[in-house]
């Protein structure tokens, strides 16, 4: 079904078979739940949004989440229920576990750091379910953003550590990192194979360094552009952790479209793009084409949007030469794709 979906978006394109997720249960190592007040009592309701609405469906079991992530989320929910937290305070709980579940961090997202939160948080820390780190994030603004600007570390480690293909990554609770770690290893291998020994490289939307760090480890000189300051700090920590010489990587902490103006005088053999779901602004795509790299490796979590952007890259002088799907989210319609564009 997902292969057919890709073929509809990319007709007359030869597609490689989709790489399946290594596991289809307990594959999500980032657990996310939303809270809702219960009008019939003090019990906190925790669940997921019903598709296409703001209605919250209560959840008692989520088989696609890691087992430790579920345990921590439900253990915190139960303690919050007993604490009689005022309505409107609780927003979300986010749990990040490593693939082997040896490490885990918990972040409680709230509208205000209310005193009623102290007892349930302390009770979780004093329990057998104790996470390696626990945080409270203050998000007092309405809107679609799950996480606010202020994060308080209450106790424990600031990161969990994940290993992928010989590279170690420190992941902070607010920075983006791939949810399905085992499938992400396969995705990373595809990107490394497509980039090959090329250098210098430009990595746009570089996050905590998922591609930047292993590429630099393999000898490339990389300019990495990321606007999220916490992700940039994570990338700095990951470069140090993996003993990458500072001369190999230049981190640029700004929006990709702003950075493109200053990078037009530089030369890159390959450009790696890994934008958010809405894709790349036209200014970024046009700027990449003006750089005239020998190859563009585009990692897309929204291939339908990529199909639209393909036309702009083609107008900029590039053709789609290869497309590889990776199934990061079993049981859903979502598919990750690595598209390789080369000069026409």
């Amino acid at each position: 079904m997902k292969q057919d979906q890709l073929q509809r978006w990319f007709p007359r394109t030869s597609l490689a078979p989709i790489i399946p997720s290594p596991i289809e249960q307990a594959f999500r190592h980032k657990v996310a739940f939303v809270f809702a007040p219960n009008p019939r009592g003090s019990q906190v309701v925790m669940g997921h949004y019903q598709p296409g609405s703001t209605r919250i469906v209560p959840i008692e079991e989520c088989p696609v989440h890691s087992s430790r992530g579920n345990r921590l989320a439900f253990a915190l929910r139960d303690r919050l229920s007993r604490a009689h937290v005022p309505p409107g305070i609780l927003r979300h709980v986010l749990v990040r576990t490593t693939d082997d579940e040896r490490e885990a961090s918990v972040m409680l997202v709230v509208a205000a750091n209310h005193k009623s939160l102290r007892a349930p948080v302390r009770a979780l820390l004093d329990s057998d379910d104790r996470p390696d780190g626990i945080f409270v994030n203050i998000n007092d603004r309405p809107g679609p953003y799950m996480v606010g600007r202020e994060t308080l570390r209450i106790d424990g480690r600031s990161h969990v550590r994940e290993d992928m293909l010989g590279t170690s990554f420190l992941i902070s609770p607010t920075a983006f990192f791939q949810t399905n770690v085992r499938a992400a290893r396969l995705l990373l291998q595809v990107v490394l194979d497509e980039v090959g020994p090329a250098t210098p490289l430009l990595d746009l939307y570089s996050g905590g360094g998922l591609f930047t760090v292993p590429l630099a480890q393999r000898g490339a000189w990389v300019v990495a552009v990321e606007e999220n300051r916490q992700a940039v700090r994570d990338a700095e920590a990951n470069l140090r952790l993996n003993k990458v010489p500072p001369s190999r990587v230049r981190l640029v902490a700004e929006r990709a479209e702003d950075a493109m103006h200053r990078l037009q005088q530089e030369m890159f053999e390959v450009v790696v793009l890994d934008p958010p779901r809405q894709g790349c602004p036209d200014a970024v795509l046009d700027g990449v084409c003006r750089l005239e790299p020998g190859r563009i490796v585009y990692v897309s979590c929204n291939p339908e949007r990529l199909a639209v952007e393909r036309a702009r890259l083609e107008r900029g002088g590039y053709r789609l030469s290869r497309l590889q799907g990776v199934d990061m989210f079993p049981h859903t319609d979502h598919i990750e794709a690595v598209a390789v564009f080369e000069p026409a």
Side-chain angles (χ1 to χ4, degrees), residues 166-169 188 192 203 206 208-220 222 224 234-244 248-249 251:
T167 303
S168 295
F169 294 93
L188 175 58
L192 294 177
D203 185 5
S206 56
L210 177 62
F211 304 127
T212 292
V213 178
L215 287 167
Q217 280 182 301
R218 287 157 175 77
V222 186
D234 283 357
E236 292 170 341
N238 290 328
L239 291 167
R240 291 192 299 270
L241 178 65
N242 291 279
K243 297 181 171 56
V244 175
R248 286 269 177 84
V249 178
L251 297 174

Side-chain angles (χ1 to χ4, degrees), residues 280-296:
C280 292
D282 291 345
V284 172
L285 296 175
D286 293 344
V288 168
C289 292
R290 286 195 297 270
L291 290 172
E292 299 184 345
R295 202 175 320 134
I296 300 168

Side-chain angles (χ1 to χ4, degrees), residues 168-284:
S168 295
F169 294 93
L170 297 173
I171 308 168
S172 63
T174 58
F176 173 79
F177 196 83
Q178 293 287 353
T179 297
N180 184 339
V181 173
R182 297 189 194 184
R185 292 189 181 107
L186 302 176
L187 176 73
L188 175 58
Q189 188 63 65
V190 171
V191 172
L192 294 177
D193 291 343
E194 293 295 352
V195 171
T199 188
L201 299 168
L202 175 60
D203 185 5
L204 294 174
Y205 310 96
S206 56
L210 177 62
F211 304 127
T212 292
V213 178
L215 287 167
Q217 280 182 301
R218 287 157 175 77
W221 182 79
V222 186
V223 174
V225 178
E226 170 58 52
E227 67 173 298
N228 184 300
R229 297 300 175 121
Q230 181 58 58
V232 173
R233 288 191 288 270
D234 283 357
E236 292 170 341
N238 290 328
L239 291 167
R240 291 192 299 270
L241 178 65
N242 291 279
K243 297 181 171 56
V244 175
S247 59
R248 286 269 177 84
V249 178
R250 188 167 97 232
L251 297 174
V252 179
E254 61 182 338
R255 297 192 314 159
E257 46 267 57
D258 295 332
M260 291 307 300
H261 294 295
R262 280 178 285 283
L263 295 171
Q264 287 302 309
Q265 304 307 313
E266 301 192 33
M267 297 184 64
F268 299 99
E269 191 170 338
V270 173
V271 174
V272 177
L273 291 163
D274 186 15
R277 187 163 183 78
Q278 62 265 33
C280 292
D282 291 345
V284 172

Side-chain angles (χ1 to χ4, degrees), residues 20-31 61-68 70 97-99 101 179-183 327-332:
S21 173
I23 55 174
E24 295 192 355
Q25 302 291 329
F27 64 85
R28 290 188 66 100
H29 293 94
K30 180 181 179 182
V31 171
E61 179 185 8
C62 192
V64 300
H65 285 163
S66 75
S67 58
R68 188 179 181 192
N70 274 333
T97 70
T98 53
D99 181 27
E101 299 199 346
T179 297
N180 184 339
V181 173
R182 297 189 194 184
D327 190 0
M328 302 286 286
F329 299 102
H331 317 294
T332 75

Side-chain angles (χ1 to χ4, degrees), residues 91-92 94 107-112 135-152 173-175 228 230 233:
R91 299 194 66 172
H92 303 273
L94 305 175
M107 184 167 68
L108 180 63
V109 182
V110 295
F135 306 79
V136 171
N137 176 269
I138 314 300
N139 184 5
D140 58 359
R141 298 185 178 189
Y145 295 106
M146 186 178 293
V147 175
R149 296 178 180 177
E150 182 183 7
T151 301
L152 308 173
T174 58
N228 184 300
Q230 181 58 58
R233 288 191 288 270

Side-chain angles (χ1 to χ4, degrees), residues 325-340:
V326 180
D327 190 0
M328 302 286 286
F329 299 102
H331 317 294
T332 75
D333 293 335
H334 296 296
I335 188 75
E336 198 99 0
V338 180
V340 180

